[in-house]
Amino acid sequence: MLYYLFEFLEMKYQLIGASVFQYISFRAAIATIFSMGFSLFFGKRIINFLRDQQIGETIRDLGLEGQKEKEGTPTMGGLIIILSTLLPVILLARLNNIYIILLITTMIWMGFIGWLDDYIKVFKKNKQGLKGKFKLFGQIVLGVFVGTILFFHPEVKVRTNVEPISSLIQNTTETKNFSNDIKAAITTIPLLKNNEFNYYSFIKWIGVNSKYTWLIFIPIVVFIITAVSNGANLTDGVDGLAAGISAIIVFTLAIFSFVSGNINFASYLNIMYIPNVGEVVIFISAFLGALIGFLWFNVYPADVFMGDTGSLTIGALISVIAVIVRKELIIPILCGVFFIETLSVILQVTYFKYTRIKKGVGQRIFKMAPLHHHYQKLGFHESKIVARFWILGIVLAVISIVTLKLR
């Protein structure tokens, strides 16, 4: 809203300073400050409201040290993240940008699915929450919607042969249409030279038209959103872990979005240029500020838990942003902590079932899964576990950023 207001003031009245709102870097900085300030100022009030409404976490007895002390801690804290992100986005972003529309829709939809899960746990006293098949259905619906829009919408284009432009517009909103922008389901393969990959390659060999690439592209988007959303959900098990790791990932995605939406940086780095994707930086900046503000209350000992309202939403947003900036194939590296946590659960369950069939008694690889609980069982304090996982997340983020140039 403010973007359009200052655009009007600049065009109509030539207001001095109004043009600063055309700069993505300026609006991104304001979005971060605004969302962080909102989450810090109103976060405590939201937590007190949740406590007054007795919206507290019901803890399953897993035999972990300090577990019972968490009983009754307010949950549904993901509402802080959602509100702190949406408000600055509505004020500062171009709301007619297709990528902003997709991200707002993703946040609201997955926020609702997560809230429904938390509501059933808290008010219906059902520790299982929303049945897994319904959560999966919600993720599939979102994946189909996002994949369909990204494949068919006319504004979703890329440019692989990028030439720098003389006028320095890289820091402002890109509005021009170029004849060499193409409509294609292309992504980036990290660490490879000439690393663009077209999803059409999967079906090209059978001789079908490229217009049917959506048959491959949409299921892949569904899988990515489902996997990352559930991975974030599994990671949210100790104070500050999911929010901290997510903040590191989101910051990295902000870098990817900025350079991919900036024609001069894209040319310099020899990477794919994505018209109008620079606007995504505004959303990511607000999202990052909201996560940092939420961490103020979520680090050990936590005053609030994000619940599925937060974790499912965070994972879905990260996956959608990665697909938008054509960096979905780097997710196993960038979201490596989510991946490891999910893999530990898959290995634990698979091995337990296998040994039960083979030996009659189920055996475990880890003392407990997800992996952070394994270290808790080994006697590590959760704050040390979180700090070390954060360090791992930073290392993986640096490796991900390096892939921009290391090919």
Short mmCIF file of all heavy atoms in Angstrom, two decimals, residues 60 62 227 229-237 241 336-354 363-375 389:
data_model
loop_
_atom_site.label_atom_id
_atom_site.label_comp_id
_atom_site.label_asym_id
_atom_site.label_seq_id
_atom_site.Cartn_x
_atom_site.Cartn_y
_atom_site.Cartn_z
N ARG A 60 3.94 -34.86 25.34
CA ARG A 60 3.97 -36.32 25.44
C ARG A 60 5.21 -36.74 26.23
O ARG A 60 6.29 -36.18 26.04
CB ARG A 60 4.01 -36.97 24.05
CG ARG A 60 2.71 -36.85 23.28
CD ARG A 60 2.81 -37.63 21.97
NE ARG A 60 3.86 -37.12 21.11
CZ ARG A 60 4.35 -37.77 20.05
NH1 ARG A 60 3.88 -38.96 19.75
NH2 ARG A 60 5.29 -37.22 19.31
N LEU A 62 8.24 -38.42 26.74
CA LEU A 62 9.24 -39.14 25.96
C LEU A 62 10.46 -39.49 26.81
O LEU A 62 11.44 -40.00 26.29
CB LEU A 62 9.68 -38.28 24.77
CG LEU A 62 8.57 -37.88 23.78
CD1 LEU A 62 9.13 -36.94 22.71
CD2 LEU A 62 7.95 -39.10 23.13
N ALA A 227 7.76 -32.35 1.34
CA ALA A 227 8.97 -32.80 2.03
C ALA A 227 9.54 -31.72 2.94
O ALA A 227 9.86 -31.98 4.12
CB ALA A 227 10.03 -33.22 1.00
N SER A 229 8.05 -28.94 4.10
CA SER A 229 7.10 -28.55 5.15
C SER A 229 7.12 -29.55 6.30
O SER A 229 7.17 -29.17 7.47
CB SER A 229 5.69 -28.47 4.55
OG SER A 229 4.75 -28.06 5.52
N ASN A 230 7.12 -30.83 5.98
CA ASN A 230 7.18 -31.85 7.02
C ASN A 230 8.55 -31.90 7.69
O ASN A 230 8.66 -32.19 8.88
CB ASN A 230 6.83 -33.23 6.44
CG ASN A 230 5.35 -33.36 6.11
OD1 ASN A 230 4.51 -32.85 6.84
ND2 ASN A 230 5.03 -34.04 5.03
N GLY A 231 9.61 -31.60 6.92
CA GLY A 231 10.95 -31.55 7.50
C GLY A 231 11.07 -30.46 8.54
O GLY A 231 11.66 -30.66 9.62
N ALA A 232 10.51 -29.28 8.25
CA ALA A 232 10.51 -28.19 9.24
C ALA A 232 9.69 -28.57 10.46
O ALA A 232 10.06 -28.24 11.60
CB ALA A 232 9.95 -26.92 8.60
N ASN A 233 8.60 -29.28 10.23
CA ASN A 233 7.74 -29.71 11.33
C ASN A 233 8.46 -30.69 12.26
O ASN A 233 8.36 -30.59 13.49
CB ASN A 233 6.47 -30.35 10.76
CG ASN A 233 5.46 -30.69 11.83
OD1 ASN A 233 5.07 -31.84 11.98
ND2 ASN A 233 5.00 -29.70 12.56
N LEU A 234 9.22 -31.60 11.68
CA LEU A 234 9.98 -32.57 12.48
C LEU A 234 11.13 -31.89 13.24
O LEU A 234 11.49 -32.30 14.35
CB LEU A 234 10.54 -33.67 11.58
CG LEU A 234 9.54 -34.67 11.01
CD1 LEU A 234 10.21 -35.56 9.98
CD2 LEU A 234 8.94 -35.53 12.13
N THR A 235 11.69 -30.85 12.65
CA THR A 235 12.83 -30.14 13.28
C THR A 235 12.38 -29.34 14.49
O THR A 235 13.19 -29.06 15.39
CB THR A 235 13.51 -29.23 12.25
OG1 THR A 235 13.89 -30.02 11.12
CG2 THR A 235 14.74 -28.55 12.82
N ASP A 236 11.12 -28.96 14.54
CA ASP A 236 10.61 -28.14 15.63
C ASP A 236 10.37 -29.01 16.86
O ASP A 236 9.24 -29.37 17.18
CB ASP A 236 9.31 -27.45 15.20
CG ASP A 236 8.77 -26.52 16.27
OD1 ASP A 236 9.59 -25.93 17.00
OD2 ASP A 236 7.53 -26.39 16.38
N GLY A 237 11.47 -29.35 17.55
CA GLY A 237 11.35 -30.22 18.70
C GLY A 237 12.02 -29.70 19.96
O GLY A 237 11.72 -30.15 21.06
N LEU A 241 15.27 -24.23 17.72
CA LEU A 241 15.93 -24.97 16.65
C LEU A 241 15.32 -24.65 15.28
O LEU A 241 16.02 -24.20 14.36
CB LEU A 241 15.86 -26.48 16.91
CG LEU A 241 16.49 -27.37 15.84
CD1 LEU A 241 17.95 -27.01 15.62
CD2 LEU A 241 16.37 -28.84 16.24
N GLY A 336 19.71 -28.73 4.70
CA GLY A 336 20.34 -29.97 5.12
C GLY A 336 19.92 -30.43 6.51
O GLY A 336 19.79 -31.63 6.77
N VAL A 337 19.70 -29.48 7.43
CA VAL A 337 19.28 -29.86 8.79
C VAL A 337 17.89 -30.49 8.75
O VAL A 337 17.64 -31.52 9.38
CB VAL A 337 19.30 -28.64 9.73
CG1 VAL A 337 18.69 -29.00 11.08
CG2 VAL A 337 20.72 -28.13 9.92
N PHE A 338 16.97 -29.87 7.98
CA PHE A 338 15.65 -30.47 7.80
C PHE A 338 15.78 -31.87 7.21
O PHE A 338 15.08 -32.81 7.62
CB PHE A 338 14.78 -29.62 6.86
CG PHE A 338 14.38 -28.28 7.41
CD1 PHE A 338 13.77 -27.34 6.58
CD2 PHE A 338 14.60 -27.93 8.74
CE1 PHE A 338 13.39 -26.10 7.06
CE2 PHE A 338 14.24 -26.69 9.22
CZ PHE A 338 13.63 -25.78 8.38
N PHE A 339 16.66 -31.98 6.21
CA PHE A 339 16.85 -33.26 5.52
C PHE A 339 17.38 -34.33 6.47
O PHE A 339 16.89 -35.48 6.47
CB PHE A 339 17.81 -33.05 4.35
CG PHE A 339 18.11 -34.30 3.57
CD1 PHE A 339 17.18 -34.86 2.72
CD2 PHE A 339 19.35 -34.93 3.69
CE1 PHE A 339 17.45 -36.01 2.01
CE2 PHE A 339 19.64 -36.08 2.98
CZ PHE A 339 18.69 -36.62 2.14
N ILE A 340 18.36 -33.97 7.28
CA ILE A 340 18.95 -34.93 8.22
C ILE A 340 17.92 -35.36 9.26
O ILE A 340 17.83 -36.55 9.61
CB ILE A 340 20.18 -34.30 8.91
CG1 ILE A 340 21.32 -34.11 7.91
CG2 ILE A 340 20.66 -35.17 10.07
CD1 ILE A 340 22.47 -33.26 8.43
N GLU A 341 17.15 -34.40 9.76
CA GLU A 341 16.13 -34.72 10.76
C GLU A 341 15.08 -35.68 10.17
O GLU A 341 14.68 -36.66 10.82
CB GLU A 341 15.44 -33.44 11.24
CG GLU A 341 16.33 -32.49 12.01
CD GLU A 341 16.39 -32.82 13.49
OE1 GLU A 341 16.59 -34.00 13.84
OE2 GLU A 341 16.24 -31.90 14.30
N THR A 342 14.65 -35.40 8.95
CA THR A 342 13.67 -36.27 8.30
C THR A 342 14.25 -37.64 8.01
O THR A 342 13.59 -38.68 8.23
CB THR A 342 13.19 -35.63 6.98
OG1 THR A 342 12.67 -34.32 7.25
CG2 THR A 342 12.10 -36.47 6.32
N LEU A 343 15.49 -37.66 7.53
CA LEU A 343 16.15 -38.93 7.21
C LEU A 343 16.31 -39.80 8.46
O LEU A 343 16.16 -41.03 8.39
CB LEU A 343 17.51 -38.66 6.58
CG LEU A 343 18.29 -39.88 6.05
CD1 LEU A 343 17.50 -40.58 4.96
CD2 LEU A 343 19.66 -39.45 5.54
N SER A 344 16.61 -39.17 9.59
CA SER A 344 16.77 -39.93 10.83
C SER A 344 15.48 -40.64 11.21
O SER A 344 15.49 -41.78 11.69
CB SER A 344 17.24 -39.02 11.97
OG SER A 344 16.22 -38.11 12.36
N VAL A 345 14.34 -39.98 10.99
CA VAL A 345 13.04 -40.60 11.28
C VAL A 345 12.77 -41.76 10.33
O VAL A 345 12.33 -42.84 10.74
CB VAL A 345 11.91 -39.55 11.21
CG1 VAL A 345 10.55 -40.21 11.35
CG2 VAL A 345 12.09 -38.48 12.27
N ILE A 346 13.03 -41.53 9.03
CA ILE A 346 12.80 -42.57 8.03
C ILE A 346 13.66 -43.80 8.32
O ILE A 346 13.17 -44.95 8.30
CB ILE A 346 13.08 -42.03 6.62
CG1 ILE A 346 12.07 -40.95 6.25
CG2 ILE A 346 13.04 -43.16 5.59
CD1 ILE A 346 12.37 -40.22 4.95
N LEU A 347 14.94 -43.57 8.62
CA LEU A 347 15.85 -44.69 8.92
C LEU A 347 15.42 -45.42 10.18
O LEU A 347 15.45 -46.66 10.22
CB LEU A 347 17.27 -44.16 9.08
CG LEU A 347 17.98 -43.67 7.80
CD1 LEU A 347 19.33 -43.05 8.14
CD2 LEU A 347 18.16 -44.81 6.81
N GLN A 348 15.03 -44.67 11.20
CA GLN A 348 14.63 -45.28 12.47
C GLN A 348 13.41 -46.18 12.28
O GLN A 348 13.39 -47.34 12.73
CB GLN A 348 14.31 -44.18 13.49
CG GLN A 348 14.00 -44.68 14.89
CD GLN A 348 15.24 -44.87 15.73
OE1 GLN A 348 16.26 -45.35 15.26
NE2 GLN A 348 15.15 -44.48 16.99
N VAL A 349 12.40 -45.66 11.62
CA VAL A 349 11.16 -46.42 11.42
C VAL A 349 11.39 -47.62 10.51
O VAL A 349 10.93 -48.74 10.80
CB VAL A 349 10.05 -45.50 10.84
CG1 VAL A 349 8.82 -46.32 10.46
CG2 VAL A 349 9.68 -44.41 11.83
N THR A 350 12.14 -47.41 9.42
CA THR A 350 12.39 -48.50 8.47
C THR A 350 13.19 -49.62 9.11
O THR A 350 12.84 -50.81 8.97
CB THR A 350 13.15 -47.96 7.24
OG1 THR A 350 12.38 -46.91 6.63
CG2 THR A 350 13.37 -49.07 6.22
N TYR A 351 14.25 -49.26 9.83
CA TYR A 351 15.10 -50.27 10.47
C TYR A 351 14.33 -51.01 11.56
O TYR A 351 14.49 -52.23 11.72
CB TYR A 351 16.35 -49.62 11.04
CG TYR A 351 17.36 -50.61 11.58
CD1 TYR A 351 18.09 -51.41 10.70
CD2 TYR A 351 17.58 -50.74 12.94
CE1 TYR A 351 19.03 -52.32 11.19
CE2 TYR A 351 18.50 -51.65 13.44
CZ TYR A 351 19.22 -52.44 12.55
OH TYR A 351 20.13 -53.34 13.03
N PHE A 352 13.52 -50.29 12.31
CA PHE A 352 12.74 -50.91 13.38
C PHE A 352 11.79 -51.95 12.79
O PHE A 352 11.68 -53.08 13.31
CB PHE A 352 11.95 -49.85 14.16
CG PHE A 352 11.19 -50.40 15.33
CD1 PHE A 352 11.81 -50.56 16.56
CD2 PHE A 352 9.86 -50.77 15.21
CE1 PHE A 352 11.11 -51.07 17.66
CE2 PHE A 352 9.15 -51.29 16.28
CZ PHE A 352 9.78 -51.43 17.51
N LYS A 353 11.09 -51.59 11.72
CA LYS A 353 10.15 -52.54 11.09
C LYS A 353 10.87 -53.73 10.46
O LYS A 353 10.41 -54.87 10.54
CB LYS A 353 9.32 -51.81 10.04
CG LYS A 353 8.32 -50.82 10.62
CD LYS A 353 7.49 -50.15 9.53
CE LYS A 353 6.45 -49.22 10.13
NZ LYS A 353 5.64 -48.54 9.08
N TYR A 354 12.03 -53.43 9.86
CA TYR A 354 12.81 -54.50 9.22
C TYR A 354 13.29 -55.52 10.25
O TYR A 354 13.15 -56.74 10.05
CB TYR A 354 13.98 -53.89 8.47
CG TYR A 354 14.96 -54.91 7.92
CD1 TYR A 354 14.67 -55.62 6.75
CD2 TYR A 354 16.17 -55.16 8.57
CE1 TYR A 354 15.57 -56.56 6.25
CE2 TYR A 354 17.06 -56.09 8.08
CZ TYR A 354 16.76 -56.79 6.92
OH TYR A 354 17.65 -57.72 6.44
N GLN A 363 14.59 -53.16 16.47
CA GLN A 363 15.79 -52.50 16.98
C GLN A 363 15.87 -51.08 16.40
O GLN A 363 15.28 -50.77 15.38
CB GLN A 363 17.03 -53.31 16.59
CG GLN A 363 17.05 -54.70 17.20
CD GLN A 363 18.27 -55.50 16.77
OE1 GLN A 363 18.96 -55.13 15.82
NE2 GLN A 363 18.52 -56.60 17.46
N ARG A 364 16.65 -50.24 17.08
CA ARG A 364 16.74 -48.84 16.69
C ARG A 364 18.17 -48.47 16.32
O ARG A 364 19.13 -48.99 16.89
CB ARG A 364 16.26 -47.94 17.82
CG ARG A 364 14.77 -48.07 18.14
CD ARG A 364 14.38 -47.25 19.37
NE ARG A 364 12.95 -47.23 19.57
CZ ARG A 364 12.26 -48.19 20.17
NH1 ARG A 364 12.89 -49.28 20.64
NH2 ARG A 364 10.94 -48.09 20.30
N ILE A 365 18.29 -47.54 15.39
CA ILE A 365 19.59 -46.99 15.02
C ILE A 365 19.97 -45.88 16.00
O ILE A 365 21.09 -45.81 16.48
CB ILE A 365 19.57 -46.44 13.58
CG1 ILE A 365 19.23 -47.54 12.60
CG2 ILE A 365 20.92 -45.80 13.23
CD1 ILE A 365 19.04 -47.05 11.17
N PHE A 366 19.01 -45.02 16.28
CA PHE A 366 19.21 -43.90 17.20
C PHE A 366 18.46 -44.17 18.50
O PHE A 366 17.49 -44.94 18.54
CB PHE A 366 18.69 -42.60 16.57
CG PHE A 366 19.23 -42.31 15.20
CD1 PHE A 366 18.47 -42.54 14.07
CD2 PHE A 366 20.52 -41.82 15.04
CE1 PHE A 366 18.97 -42.29 12.80
CE2 PHE A 366 21.03 -41.56 13.78
CZ PHE A 366 20.25 -41.81 12.65
N LYS A 367 18.90 -43.51 19.55
CA LYS A 367 18.19 -43.65 20.82
C LYS A 367 16.77 -43.11 20.72
O LYS A 367 15.86 -43.59 21.39
CB LYS A 367 18.97 -42.93 21.94
CG LYS A 367 20.28 -43.62 22.31
CD LYS A 367 20.95 -42.92 23.47
CE LYS A 367 22.21 -43.67 23.89
NZ LYS A 367 21.93 -45.01 24.43
N MET A 368 16.62 -42.08 19.90
CA MET A 368 15.29 -41.53 19.63
C MET A 368 15.40 -40.68 18.37
O MET A 368 16.45 -40.11 18.07
CB MET A 368 14.78 -40.69 20.80
CG MET A 368 13.36 -40.17 20.62
SD MET A 368 12.77 -39.23 22.05
CE MET A 368 12.60 -40.55 23.24
N ALA A 369 14.33 -40.64 17.60
CA ALA A 369 14.27 -39.79 16.42
C ALA A 369 13.10 -38.83 16.58
O ALA A 369 12.12 -39.15 17.26
CB ALA A 369 14.08 -40.66 15.16
N PRO A 370 13.22 -37.61 15.98
CA PRO A 370 14.28 -37.08 15.12
C PRO A 370 15.63 -36.94 15.84
O PRO A 370 15.71 -37.12 17.05
CB PRO A 370 13.72 -35.71 14.71
CG PRO A 370 12.26 -35.76 14.94
CD PRO A 370 12.09 -36.66 16.12
N LEU A 371 16.63 -36.60 15.08
CA LEU A 371 18.02 -36.68 15.54
C LEU A 371 18.30 -35.83 16.77
O LEU A 371 19.11 -36.23 17.61
CB LEU A 371 18.95 -36.26 14.39
CG LEU A 371 20.44 -36.49 14.61
CD1 LEU A 371 20.74 -37.97 14.82
CD2 LEU A 371 21.24 -35.96 13.42
N HIS A 372 17.65 -34.66 16.89
CA HIS A 372 17.95 -33.81 18.05
C HIS A 372 17.58 -34.51 19.36
O HIS A 372 18.21 -34.30 20.39
CB HIS A 372 17.24 -32.45 17.94
CG HIS A 372 15.76 -32.53 17.75
ND1 HIS A 372 15.16 -32.43 16.52
CD2 HIS A 372 14.76 -32.68 18.66
CE1 HIS A 372 13.85 -32.50 16.67
NE2 HIS A 372 13.58 -32.67 17.96
N HIS A 373 16.55 -35.37 19.33
CA HIS A 373 16.19 -36.13 20.54
C HIS A 373 17.24 -37.20 20.87
O HIS A 373 17.43 -37.54 22.04
CB HIS A 373 14.82 -36.79 20.36
CG HIS A 373 13.67 -35.84 20.40
ND1 HIS A 373 13.64 -34.75 21.24
CD2 HIS A 373 12.49 -35.83 19.72
CE1 HIS A 373 12.50 -34.10 21.07
NE2 HIS A 373 11.79 -34.72 20.16
N HIS A 374 17.91 -37.70 19.85
CA HIS A 374 18.99 -38.67 20.07
C HIS A 374 20.08 -38.05 20.93
O HIS A 374 20.58 -38.67 21.88
CB HIS A 374 19.55 -39.11 18.71
CG HIS A 374 20.82 -39.91 18.80
ND1 HIS A 374 20.84 -41.24 19.16
CD2 HIS A 374 22.13 -39.56 18.58
CE1 HIS A 374 22.09 -41.68 19.15
NE2 HIS A 374 22.89 -40.68 18.80
N TYR A 375 20.44 -36.80 20.61
CA TYR A 375 21.48 -36.12 21.39
C TYR A 375 20.98 -35.74 22.78
O TYR A 375 21.76 -35.71 23.73
CB TYR A 375 21.97 -34.90 20.63
CG TYR A 375 22.79 -35.26 19.41
CD1 TYR A 375 22.28 -35.07 18.13
CD2 TYR A 375 24.06 -35.82 19.55
CE1 TYR A 375 23.02 -35.42 17.01
CE2 TYR A 375 24.81 -36.17 18.43
CZ TYR A 375 24.28 -35.97 17.17
OH TYR A 375 25.01 -36.34 16.07
N PHE A 389 23.54 -27.19 15.82
CA PHE A 389 22.73 -27.32 14.61
C PHE A 389 22.70 -25.99 13.85
O PHE A 389 22.69 -25.98 12.61
CB PHE A 389 21.31 -27.77 14.96
CG PHE A 389 21.13 -29.26 15.00
CD1 PHE A 389 21.70 -30.01 16.01
CD2 PHE A 389 20.40 -29.92 14.02
CE1 PHE A 389 21.54 -31.38 16.06
CE2 PHE A 389 20.24 -31.30 14.05
CZ PHE A 389 20.81 -32.03 15.08
#
